[in-house]
């Protein structure tokens, strides 16, 4: 759960939101567009209590899709659509490598980080799959919002 919380905290920070850890092990996230309380129902299932446009509703989803829900909550045009949230496929680094020929971008990023460890942000680009490096994490987003946003830790293995 620690790694999940770290990735979620960095995503919320990157998106300009506020994150608060609660004593009951839930997490509150607030954006101008709405708020979410994330609670664990099991090791892999999360309950997301959302408030958007003065409406409150509940979404249950696998833990890995919380990143997608949070990224949609941060977007004013997508937040109201969360009432009917269904997740697509979760984006993977392999999707970026295969569909955007992103392997060389990842290798270049690794080289830049080795040369200058103070790098905290880099936009790797993409056509449909957009990838950003942020404080040791890769944030993968689908420009068409069909596939679910994912946040993964950058490691030597992700560089090939």
């Amino acid at each position: 759960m620690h790694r999940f919380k770290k990735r979620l905290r960095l995503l919320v920070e990157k998106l300009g939101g506020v994150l608060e850890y609660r004593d009951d092990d839930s997490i509150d996230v607030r954006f101008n567009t709405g708020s979410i309380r994330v609670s664990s129902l099991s090791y892999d299932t999360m309950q997301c209590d959302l408030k958007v446009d003065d409406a409150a509703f509940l979404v249950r989803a696998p833990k890995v899709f919380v990143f997608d829900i949070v990224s949609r909550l941060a977007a004013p045009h997508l937040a109201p659509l969360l009432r009917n949230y269904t997740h697509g496929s979760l984006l993977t680094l392999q999707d970026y490598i295969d569909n955007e020929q992103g392997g060389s971008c990842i290798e270049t990023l690794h080289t830049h980080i080795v040369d200058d460890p103070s790098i905290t942000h880099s936009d790797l680009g993409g056509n449909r799959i957009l990838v950003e490096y942020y404080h040791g994490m890769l944030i993968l987003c689908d420009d068409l919002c069909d596939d679910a946003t994912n946040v993964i830790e950058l490691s030597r293995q992700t560089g090939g």
Side-chain angles (χ1 to χ4, degrees), residues 93 106 109 131-133 136-140 150-152 154:
L93 188 59
I106 299 295
L109 175 63
V131 178
E132 285 185 79
Y133 170 78
M137 304 293 159
L138 292 175
I139 303 169
L140 293 82
N150 196 359
V151 179
I152 59 174
L154 182 67

Side-chain angles (χ1 to χ4, degrees), residues 64-79:
V64 294
F65 290 99
V66 171
F67 304 120
D68 189 52
I69 293 169
V70 167
S71 69
R72 290 171 191 254
L73 179 63
H77 66 290
L78 296 175

Side-chain angles (χ1 to χ4, degrees), residues 3-75:
R3 292 173 62 201
F4 168 78
K5 287 180 178 180
K6 178 183 177 183
R7 292 182 292 156
L8 183 61
R9 177 182 56 80
L10 289 170
L11 176 63
V12 169
E13 179 183 294
K14 171 71 179 82
L15 296 173
V18 175
L19 182 140
E20 180 182 334
Y21 299 107
R22 301 184 45 86
D23 290 337
D24 64 358
D25 210 29
S26 64
I27 303 168
D28 285 345
V29 176
R30 291 182 309 281
F31 294 101
N32 292 338
T33 54
S35 64
I36 181 174
R37 176 167 291 167
V38 179
S39 308
S40 180
L41 294 175
S42 69
Y43 176 76
D44 193 41
T45 305
M46 304 302 266
Q47 176 171 306
C48 302
D49 295 290
L50 290 126
K51 291 182 184 172
V52 178
D53 297 332
D54 296 325
F57 52 96
L58 172 76
V59 173
R60 287 192 176 122
K63 186 189 308 184
V64 294
F65 290 99
V66 171
F67 304 120
D68 189 52
I69 293 169
V70 167
S71 69
R72 290 171 191 254
L73 179 63

Side-chain angles (χ1 to χ4, degrees), residues 69-130:
I69 293 169
V70 167
S71 69
R72 290 171 191 254
L73 179 63
H77 66 290
L78 296 175
L81 304 176
L82 283 168
R83 285 186 188 100
N84 301 313
Y85 179 75
T86 56
H87 58 78
S89 299
L90 184 68
L91 284 173
T92 66
L93 188 59
Q94 196 61 49
D95 293 330
Y96 177 64
I97 292 168
D98 293 345
N99 299 321
E100 303 283 349
Q101 291 75 45
S104 63
C105 292
I106 299 295
E107 290 175 19
T108 301
L109 175 63
H110 271 290
T111 301
H112 287 145
I113 292 169
V114 168
D115 291 344
D116 183 2
S118 68
I119 294 173
T120 58
H121 181 262
S122 181
D123 187 357
L124 278 68
N127 290 315
R128 178 172 175 182
I129 301 172
L130 308 175

